[in-house]
Amino acid sequence: MRLILWVLVLFAAAVAVALAVEEYSTGHLIVEIPSFEKIELSLDYAVAGLVAAFVVFYILVRMLIGLFDRRNIRAESLMLTGLKAFFEGDYDKAKKSATKGFKLAKTPLIKTINSVVATRSAHYVADTFTRDALLAKTEQEVQDERALRLVTKAELLLSAGRPQEALEALQDLYSTGGLQPTAVLRLELEAQKQVKNWDAVLEIADVLRRRHPLSRDNFEKIRHEAHLQNFKIKATNLKSLSKYWHSLSEHEQGNSRLAAAATRAYISLGDCATAHKIVERNVQTDWDSELILLYAECLNYHVSRQIECAEVWLKAQPNNADLLLMLGKLCAHCELWGKAQSYLEASVSVEPSATAHFSLAQLNEKLGKHELAMDHYNKALELTLRTSLAV
């Protein structure tokens, strides 16, 4: 409607100009073009022609602007339709609407949002062809909205089991600098976990732990898991293992799971003295079963001292089946058969276990009590099978 009014106004103005020229002008306009004859026009017709040309040009420009406006309005409408369908869980509809909106949109933000909705929807319906094609096309056609594009790309790649490519997308995002949002760091944390880069996991988890004190326990668990995995890696070299263990805070060294992992690593490298120190330092804080039993896994000329330490612990925990079992193993190693049998039988009476019965079987076999040894072997097998079936 507004376009029609503008055309009428311009047309009226053109007529008015033409009439005025006709009334007041008596001149002529001569146009000379090389290689052509001269063209002579009356001045009034020349002016009227120029006005008419301007009117036509203006109308064409307005029509083109209106066409682009209608494309953008249509793209925005498709974007909203796609978003609504996406949040309703109708991913097929969301994919179709947003894909059309992506093709029509000229504004970078509208184009990118349509791309995000379409690629996520395609991902959820396992349309990997459309997803990857749209991701590639968005990178080619949209240079703005880098954060939105790259975070979406990284998340979809990670979800598709391609963590290394997801990390590359995030590194592209990080190249712009600035403080990264928590959601982006969480995304990188998961990607680093999947590629088993545990040092990076520790670093990111520490940043998130400081940012979100209320989620501290959750990030502590992630850090502990990363430490446990790192101990498996560091267990190939005593120097690197010691450096890593001493880099942990006192609080972390006091964690029974981490202490047990470090103890296992030191035992695997044959450093019994350090393994024993870790157990002796930590075992009395929470009487962790794994730590207690590890004390008898690495035996050297200090076994008699280990027995003395363990017997002191027994005064505080007289009915600890794991502590009794460990003492039985230490005494058997020193050929203190009577004490070994006493401790092992006490362990079985408190809490029967396949390990304790097996140790008693081996002890009785050494003592020549074959029938008793066979009985304990059978009980150990029975408990093992029962445990396996329960799992």
Side-chain angles (χ1 to χ4, degrees), residues 82-278:
L83 281 168
K84 181 175 181 292
F86 180 84
F87 288 117
E88 288 174 347
D90 190 349
Y91 299 123
D92 282 313
K93 182 179 178 181
K95 181 183 69 172
K96 291 175 184 176
S97 297
T99 301
K100 290 178 183 177
F102 173 78
K103 292 176 181 177
L104 288 174
K106 295 299 178 184
T107 307
L109 178 60
I110 303 301
K111 199 172 187 70
T112 305
I113 292 175
N114 272 305
S115 170
V116 168
V117 175
T119 51
R120 287 181 182 276
S121 299
H123 181 77
Y124 289 145
V125 296
D127 184 358
T128 55
F129 177 80
T130 300
R131 179 197 67 196
D132 294 342
L134 272 172
L135 283 173
K137 205 161 188 179
T138 304
E139 285 190 15
Q140 292 173 359
E141 297 183 9
V142 185
Q143 299 306 314
D144 297 328
E145 308 301 334
R146 292 182 76 251
L148 183 56
R149 286 191 294 105
L150 292 170
V151 169
T152 300
K153 180 180 180 181
E155 187 174 347
L156 294 179
L157 287 168
L158 185 61
S159 180
R162 295 152 65 182
Q164 191 58 54
E165 293 174 67
L167 286 171
E168 290 170 7
L170 289 174
Q171 288 306 313
D172 192 9
L173 175 63
Y174 294 163
S175 64
T176 58
L179 188 67
Q180 297 304 323
T182 295
V184 175
L185 291 180
R186 284 180 179 272
L187 197 60
E188 187 190 357
L189 179 68
E190 183 57 36
Q192 297 289 9
K193 283 171 68 176
Q194 289 191 22
V195 298
K196 303 186 187 305
N197 186 356
W198 302 113
D199 288 332
V201 169
L202 286 166
E203 184 179 346
I204 298 168
D206 192 46
V207 172
L208 291 171
R209 181 181 60 175
R210 291 196 301 269
R211 281 192 190 181
H212 302 280
L214 295 178
S215 301
R216 185 182 181 87
D217 289 345
N218 179 50
F219 294 120
E220 285 285 0
K221 289 178 182 177
I222 293 172
R223 283 178 57 81
H224 286 170
E225 181 60 34
H227 281 310
L228 291 174
Q229 296 299 329
N230 257 344
F231 276 122
K232 295 177 183 177
I233 298 169
K234 310 290 184 183
T236 57
N237 181 277
L238 190 58
K239 186 177 180 180
S240 64
L241 174 61
S242 294
K243 183 179 179 181
Y244 188 76
W245 170 246
H246 291 298
S247 71
L248 269 60
S249 67
E250 188 175 343
H251 172 72
E252 288 172 327
Q253 288 185 354
N255 179 273
S256 59
R257 289 186 66 205
L258 296 182
T263 302
R264 285 193 180 280
Y266 275 110
I267 289 173
S268 69
L269 294 173
D271 188 350
C272 295
T274 305
H276 294 161
K277 286 179 183 178
I278 294 172

Side-chain angles (χ1 to χ4, degrees), residues 56-74:
V56 172
F57 176 75
Y58 181 81
I59 292 171
L60 288 173
V61 170
R62 293 289 299 180
M63 288 177 66
L64 286 172
I65 292 173
L67 179 62
F68 284 123
D69 284 343
R70 283 194 294 275
R71 283 174 64 96
N72 278 328
I73 291 170
R74 177 63 175 156

Side-chain angles (χ1 to χ4, degrees), residues 10-11 13-31 41-55:
L10 289 170
F11 183 74
V15 171
V17 171
L19 290 174
V21 169
E22 184 175 359
E23 182 176 351
Y24 297 105
S25 175
T26 56
H28 289 78
L29 177 68
I30 298 174
V31 179
L41 296 171
S42 62
L43 187 58
D44 54 347
Y45 286 120
V47 172
L50 288 172
V51 171
F54 173 77
V55 170

